[in-house]
Amino acid sequence: MEAFYAVLPVFLLIAVGAAVHMTDVLPENTGAAMGLYVLKLALPVLMLHILAGASRLDLAHGGFWLGVIGAQMLCYLLGYVVDRLFSRRGAGPAIISGLACSASNTAFVGLPIVASLLPGNHEAMVVAGLAALTPNVVVIMAQVRMDCLAGSAAWGDGRDRIWKLLRLFLLGNPLLLATLAGLALACSGLGLWRPLDHAAALIGSTAAPCMLLALGFDLRQKLVLALRRNGGHTVIRQTWLLLCKLGIHPLICWGIMRLAGLPPLWLGVGVLMSATGTALVASVLAEVYSAVPEEAALTAVLSNAASMVSLMLFIFLLQGAGCL
């Protein structure tokens, strides 16, 4: 029952967001504005607050990075190869399938789940915060590949291209910048000035409810898009994508971390973050590059809905293994 009570409030907030979006209580762009607030301010500040208080030992678990990112890379390749072999729709849809199998919704679902399951556990939030960054690896890889396919990789030559890459992936990414600042403060042992740390904690505390409400808004919009049109073999394809993302992905992560000999808490939180549904950025990229956007939207909705079950299952298994 502990798993149920940890997961249910998260999905109730998502449902509230979807329900509010169906009414005229708030403006149509509320979800987008709330999502931007979370991604550009609340979540980066939360990451700064969490990481600045971490110890050097907390950051020295190489097996954690190997497990989380390694599982993502393997599942990305698995999703890509299976789509190319059996669907034969071209590289663009295969890239989106790879993302659907590998990019976890760590920030919008994973962080609130860990906070609900392990309240007050700073180390668990450090692990969850680090895991929230890792989907950027496969997302950036997929975006670069899609740019190449679209012929838009010619961003200029020399310094101009380097500057645009830095602006897009570093300077334009508040979450990454806040993470780097937090890591620097943790490694130096300085930490945040106490009043500033308290202010950051207050702002960071708004991240979870806002991101869940925004997710509810966004998922309803994705559902509308998903219902427009979907090609043949939808049921088979969606079943495979859900199985890969919610089952194979966290199991691979668990196996790698177990072999790496990680501490139980790091293993448990890492696997739990991997068991979340597909990150919504996969459907965003599908829309931007016109690569099966309806299918990607449907995957986002179904995987995040089904993750309520997969998360409870993995919480039960991880608690039984003494990892949570």
Side-chain angles (χ1 to χ4, degrees):
M1 290 299 290
E2 184 180 354
F4 177 76
Y5 287 123
V7 171
L8 184 60
V10 171
F11 286 88
L12 283 177
L13 268 178
I14 295 173
V16 168
V20 170
H21 190 250
M22 296 173 64
T23 69
D24 295 326
V25 174
L26 296 174
E28 182 69 22
N29 66 342
T30 299
M34 199 177 294
L36 282 175
Y37 163 74
V38 170
L39 291 175
K40 300 294 186 181
L41 180 62
L43 189 55
V45 170
L46 176 63
M47 291 295 296
L48 179 65
H49 165 67
I50 291 172
L51 293 178
S55 69
R56 295 184 185 91
L57 292 177
D58 288 337
L59 308 175
H61 296 291
F64 171 78
W65 301 106
L66 178 64
V68 176
I69 297 177
Q72 289 177 8
M73 296 293 290
L74 288 173
C75 287
Y76 176 87
L77 291 173
L78 182 60
Y80 180 88
V81 170
V82 168
D83 194 276
R84 291 305 301 268
L85 288 177
F86 295 100
S87 296
R88 299 179 181 179
R89 300 179 296 174
I95 291 170
I96 299 302
S97 292
L99 272 183
C101 293
S102 60
S104 300
N105 202 353
T106 51
F108 278 71
V109 174
L111 279 172
I113 288 289
V114 173
S116 177
L117 182 65
L118 302 168
N121 191 322
H122 182 76
E123 185 180 5
M125 291 305 295
V126 169
V127 182
L130 294 174
L133 298 171
T134 57
N136 286 325
V137 175
V138 288
V139 169
I140 291 173
M141 184 173 67
Q143 187 172 6
V144 170
R145 178 66 176 137
M146 293 294 272
D147 279 336
C148 292
L149 291 175
S152 59
W155 294 356
D157 298 320
R159 294 181 180 178
D160 184 53
R161 180 172 182 174
I162 294 173
W163 166 245
K164 288 182 178 179
L165 285 169
L166 285 174
R167 188 173 59 185
L168 178 62
F169 297 127
L170 180 59
L171 301 179
N173 190 334
L175 182 58
L176 180 57
L177 292 174
T179 300
L180 293 175
L183 290 174
L185 289 170
C187 292
S188 66
L190 295 175
L192 277 176
W193 182 44
R194 183 172 296 178
L196 185 59
D197 187 53
H198 288 170
L202 288 174
I203 295 174
S205 66
T206 67
C210 286
M211 69 175 68
L212 292 172
L213 290 171
L215 180 58
F217 272 68
D218 206 12
L219 282 179
R220 184 175 180 275
Q221 293 173 327
K222 298 298 181 191
L223 182 59
V224 172
L225 174 63
L227 294 177
R228 289 181 188 170
R229 174 176 58 84
N230 266 292
H233 308 294
T234 299
V235 174
I236 296 174
R237 191 175 293 120
Q238 290 296 326
T239 301
W240 155 246
L241 293 175
L242 294 184
L243 175 64
C244 187
K245 179 66 201 74
L246 302 179
I248 297 174
H249 184 181
L251 287 175
I252 291 176
C253 181
W254 194 335
I256 296 175
M257 288 186 171
R258 184 68 179 269
L259 290 174
L262 279 178
L265 181 64
W266 283 72
L267 186 152
V269 174
V271 171
L272 198 58
M273 298 290 274
S274 297
T276 55
T278 300
L280 300 188
V281 69
S283 62
V284 172
L285 287 180
E287 287 186 64
V288 169
Y289 294 99
S290 300
V292 290
E294 293 87 359
E295 178 184 306
L298 183 60
T299 304
V301 173
L302 292 179
S303 66
N304 280 281
S307 68
M308 180 175 179
V309 176
S310 67
L311 285 166
M312 286 192 291
L313 174 61
F314 274 99
I315 289 173
F316 176 77
L317 293 174
L318 289 165
Q319 286 178 333
C323 296
L324 287 176

